[in-house]
Amino acid sequence: SGNNRIQIFDLDGSYVSSFGSKGSSNGFFNCPHDIKIYKNKIYVADSDNYRIQIFDLDGSYVSTFGSRDKFDSQPYKLDVFNDKIYVVEIGKNRIQVFDLSGDFLFEFGKKGEGVGEFSLPSDVAISEEKIFVADRMNSRVQVFDINGNFLNTFDPGAAYEEFVRPHSLAISDGKIFVADVPKLPIHIFEISGSFSMETSVIPSWVKNTAGWWADGSINDSSFLEGISYLIQNNIIIVPTTEAATE
């Protein structure tokens, strides 16, 4: 970011080209912090210019969106998924979501230590309709659904060592890679294996139905409707069994 440019290398590490230099005009940067490629476009978090710039694969300027009106603090990291741009606004402890034209869609998160709250979030990565956020100063990675609703957090009581300051995320081949400082290791997790990411939510009406059935306020048929809902939505898994033969 200090050289205010994007450099391009081949997979052997040989230099190919570069674009950008310090400035505030279109195509120039002031401390760019992140880059993503999506549908043959390059998206750059141009942090100290308070904007996201978009380029073609040759580095030619295409468009930009953002200003101090859209970003109250620097856009720090980003990811692009399903035609939406997810931007980490680190100073405001939130994720803002835009369409590909830069129009605001929604946001989630605020400063705090509770679930769904952040303390200097430092990266975002999206896979399989799940949003992963490196919640750096809360020493955790939080998981949200694609609409920003909290699902889960990496279990600090799990077998792996606890995070200190998780700050960077990458996802590949069903695994999530988490860079952590100052401990320096890269933590690697199976998205669907090493921790439970899917959180089955039992609706409040089902819980109420169970309570009413237990105290005799409703009949068995009404209670069974709640059980049927849980089975149909795979919240309760009923194993298949073979019929006994004589």
Side-chain angles (χ1 to χ4, degrees), residues 39-71:
K39 291 187 175 180
N40 295 320
K41 295 291 190 297
I42 302 172
Y43 295 78
V44 181
D46 187 13
S47 294
D48 285 359
N49 281 326
Y50 290 80
R51 64 187 180 186
I52 305 298
Q53 294 202 72
I54 304 166
F55 302 82
D56 66 21
L57 293 181
D58 295 322
S60 299
Y61 172 82
V62 174
S63 62
T64 187
F65 71 90
S67 64
R68 287 181 181 268
D69 293 330
K70 278 193 175 179
F71 297 112

Side-chain angles (χ1 to χ4, degrees), residues 69 122 234 240:
D69 293 330
S122 57
N234 294 319
T240 58

Side-chain angles (χ1 to χ4, degrees), residues 125-128 132 169-177 188-195 197:
I126 303 168
S127 178
E128 300 178 5
F132 299 82
L169 306 174
I171 295 175
S172 178
D173 295 329
K175 298 181 178 64
I176 181 166
F177 300 76
I188 304 171
F189 304 89
E190 293 280 354
I191 287 181
S192 60
S194 294
F195 60 94
M197 191 177 66

Side-chain angles (χ1 to χ4, degrees), residues 4-224:
N4 296 288
R5 66 187 178 194
I6 307 298
Q7 295 198 71
I8 303 169
F9 301 83
D10 64 24
L11 294 182
D12 294 322
S14 299
Y15 173 82
V16 175
S17 63
S18 66
F19 62 93
S21 60
K22 185 174 177 61
S24 58
S25 299
N26 292 337
F28 291 78
F29 301 120
N30 189 359
C31 203
H33 261 121
D34 201 12
I35 179 173
K36 290 294 185 298
I37 298 175
Y38 180 77
K39 291 187 175 180
N40 295 320
K41 295 291 190 297
I42 302 172
Y43 295 78
V44 181
D46 187 13
S47 294
D48 285 359
N49 281 326
Y50 290 80
R51 64 187 180 186
I52 305 298
Q53 294 202 72
I54 304 166
F55 302 82
D56 66 21
L57 293 181
D58 295 322
S60 299
Y61 172 82
V62 174
S63 62
T64 187
F65 71 90
S67 64
R68 287 181 181 268
D69 293 330
K70 278 193 175 179
F71 297 112
D72 293 328
S73 69
Q74 292 94 331
Y76 186 69
K77 291 292 186 76
L78 60 83
D79 202 1
V80 188
F81 179 83
N82 198 23
D83 291 349
K84 295 181 178 63
I85 306 168
Y86 297 76
V87 181
V88 176
E89 197 174 358
I90 188 170
K92 297 297 290 186
N93 295 286
R94 66 186 179 189
I95 310 296
Q96 291 205 66
V97 185
F98 303 86
D99 64 21
L100 293 183
S101 298
D103 294 322
F104 175 81
L105 297 176
F106 64 93
E107 66 181 56
F108 61 95
K110 62 179 181 178
K111 184 173 179 57
E113 299 177 354
V115 297
E117 299 176 338
F118 304 123
S119 181
L120 295 183
S122 57
D123 206 1
V124 59
I126 303 168
S127 178
E128 300 178 5
E129 302 287 324
K130 301 294 186 294
I131 304 170
F132 299 82
V133 179
D135 187 11
R136 183 167 64 191
M137 299 307 289
N138 281 328
S139 302
R140 64 189 179 185
V141 174
Q142 295 196 70
V143 188
F144 301 81
D145 69 18
I146 203 63
N147 297 312
N149 300 305
F150 174 80
L151 292 178
N152 209 341
T153 186
F154 285 17
D155 184 4
Y160 59 87
E161 295 183 5
E162 294 182 17
F163 296 121
V164 178
R165 296 289 183 262
H167 68 89
S168 293
L169 306 174
I171 295 175
S172 178
D173 295 329
K175 298 181 178 64
I176 181 166
F177 300 76
V178 184
D180 191 14
V181 291
K183 300 180 72 173
L184 302 180
I186 304 296
H187 301 276
I188 304 171
F189 304 89
E190 293 280 354
I191 287 181
S192 60
S194 294
F195 60 94
S196 175
M197 191 177 66
E198 298 288 347
T199 302
S200 298
V201 179
I202 300 177
S204 59
W205 69 265
V206 175
K207 297 178 182 178
N208 292 336
T209 298
W212 295 329
W213 176 74
D215 63 21
S217 299
I218 61 172
N219 58 28
D220 290 353
S221 178
S222 298
F223 173 67
L224 290 175

